[in-house]
Amino acid sequence: MSGNEESWRVIRQERDPWPAVNNMGLDESILEHVSRGESPPTLRFYMWKPSAISLGYFQSLDMEVDVSSCKELGVDVVRRITGGGAVYHDSVGELTYSVVAREDQRLLPKDIMGSYRTIIDGLISGLGVFGIEASFRPLNDIVVSDMKISGNAQTRRKGCMLQHGTILLSVDVETMFKLLRVPSEKMKGKLIQKVKGSVTSMESQLGSRPDPTGVADALQEGLGESLPGSQHLGEPSAEEMSRSEEIARERYGNPEWTSKR
């Protein structure tokens, strides 16, 4: 911990899961308010209801997602402002975090790898509370015995850094491959087996799926060790909520944004 006196606002929403458009809208609204100095640097924990697929900013909707299967299974589809690949956010199988800070606050290294490492070190420390020995696999994965347990993505805009990522509480590979497009049905079985051999979860490591609040407690503690400054519990401001609803409506709930590539 450095001597930096900045205090991180911690928003705990893992007990109040939101639809994908609202989760993405609030992340972006917080970024806007932090960038203008109207909100403090923020760490947020949240979950998704219903389950959702989030596309990376640069991905093609038609090439990556089976939209009809998503509709059939009641799964939302949203496009992130961060890069990376398509992610299946299971409503009970995943805890998501986001970190937002202004670059001039010097709370995180300016270089991408350094900032990834600082945040991911905190997440690894949090997993260690459960006896899970994880490590950082650059560019942006956390692995346990070389099996991925967390994927992370970052963007920088308006003088701010936003990083968000997932911690797999459990994993449902079969459902994931019903929702994501694969080159051919013939390859699907092989891909499912490959993913099962390369992805793990806290449930797989512990024998049962942990309570999300207990996981968020541990990750918050771990990030408290890796991020300079103190922490205080908080809520989104009325202005952040109002703007997040506007962003959700105009961007994330807009089919043109979702299918833009």
Side-chain angles (χ1 to χ4, degrees):
M1 183 88 70
S2 82
N4 194 311
E5 293 304 310
E6 286 284 358
S7 179
W8 291 85
R9 174 182 55 171
V10 182
I11 299 176
R12 293 286 297 267
Q13 293 177 303
E14 75 277 1
R15 288 289 188 196
D16 181 25
W18 285 2
V21 295
N22 301 101
N23 274 329
M24 295 298 91
L26 183 55
D27 270 358
E28 188 170 346
S29 175
I30 289 171
L31 184 149
E32 289 183 357
H33 285 77
V34 171
S35 77
R36 295 194 295 263
E38 296 167 0
S39 295
T42 298
L43 168 61
R44 177 176 168 239
F45 295 99
Y46 57 94
M47 295 181 75
W48 310 65
K49 189 174 183 178
S51 299
I53 296 284
S54 74
L55 273 172
Y57 180 75
F58 299 101
Q59 290 189 299
S60 161
L61 174 66
D62 292 338
M63 290 180 66
E64 299 292 339
V65 179
D66 187 330
V67 176
S68 62
S69 291
C70 289
K71 286 179 180 174
E72 186 182 328
L73 295 174
V75 173
D76 288 346
V77 181
V78 70
R79 180 181 296 279
R80 305 188 302 269
I81 57 171
T82 53
V87 178
Y88 172 50
H89 305 277
D90 187 278
S91 62
V92 297
E94 179 196 299
L95 177 68
T96 305
Y97 77 88
S98 62
V99 176
V100 182
R102 285 212 320 267
E103 293 183 274
D104 64 7
Q105 289 172 306
R106 299 182 182 177
L107 291 167
L108 289 159
K110 279 198 173 292
D111 64 295
I112 290 174
M113 284 303 299
S115 56
Y116 266 130
R117 186 173 293 279
T118 297
I119 294 169
I120 284 174
D121 279 351
L123 302 175
I124 288 170
S125 180
L127 289 170
V129 171
F130 291 87
I132 296 173
E133 294 185 18
S135 58
F136 176 34
R137 183 172 67 192
L139 176 65
N140 50 13
D141 289 341
I142 300 174
V143 297
V144 180
S145 300
D146 211 33
M147 297 175 74
K148 182 175 176 177
I149 198 168
S150 169
N152 307 271
Q154 189 181 119
T155 188
R156 296 183 183 224
R157 51 179 70 199
K158 301 181 180 180
C160 253
M161 186 222 72
L162 162 66
Q163 180 170 314
H164 47 201
T166 63
I167 301 293
L168 290 174
L169 307 179
S170 58
V171 63
D172 183 349
V173 178
E174 282 80 6
T175 297
M176 182 173 71
F177 275 102
K178 287 177 185 173
L179 305 169
L180 298 176
R181 289 203 182 279
V182 294
S184 70
E185 283 298 313
K186 189 176 179 181
M187 286 186 65
K188 186 176 283 189
K190 290 180 180 177
L191 284 170
I192 287 173
Q193 291 310 308
K194 181 180 178 183
V195 170
K196 283 183 174 179
S198 61
V199 173
T200 189
S201 66
M202 293 189 73
E203 180 179 51
S204 297
Q205 296 297 314
L206 302 173
S208 62
R209 186 171 63 217
D211 175 68
T213 293
V215 179
D217 286 344
L219 297 177
Q220 181 183 334
E221 181 183 332
L223 286 163
E225 296 168 4
S226 70
L227 298 173
S230 58
Q231 294 182 350
H232 66 276
L233 287 175
E235 299 289 339
S237 67
E239 293 78 13
E240 285 172 325
M241 287 300 299
S242 176
R243 176 61 178 145
S244 76
E245 289 161 10
E246 185 179 21
I247 295 169
R249 184 173 60 251
E250 294 179 358
R251 191 196 307 283
Y252 298 106
N254 183 346
E256 286 187 14
W257 165 262
T258 307
S259 61
K260 66 180 286 187
R261 296 183 189 282

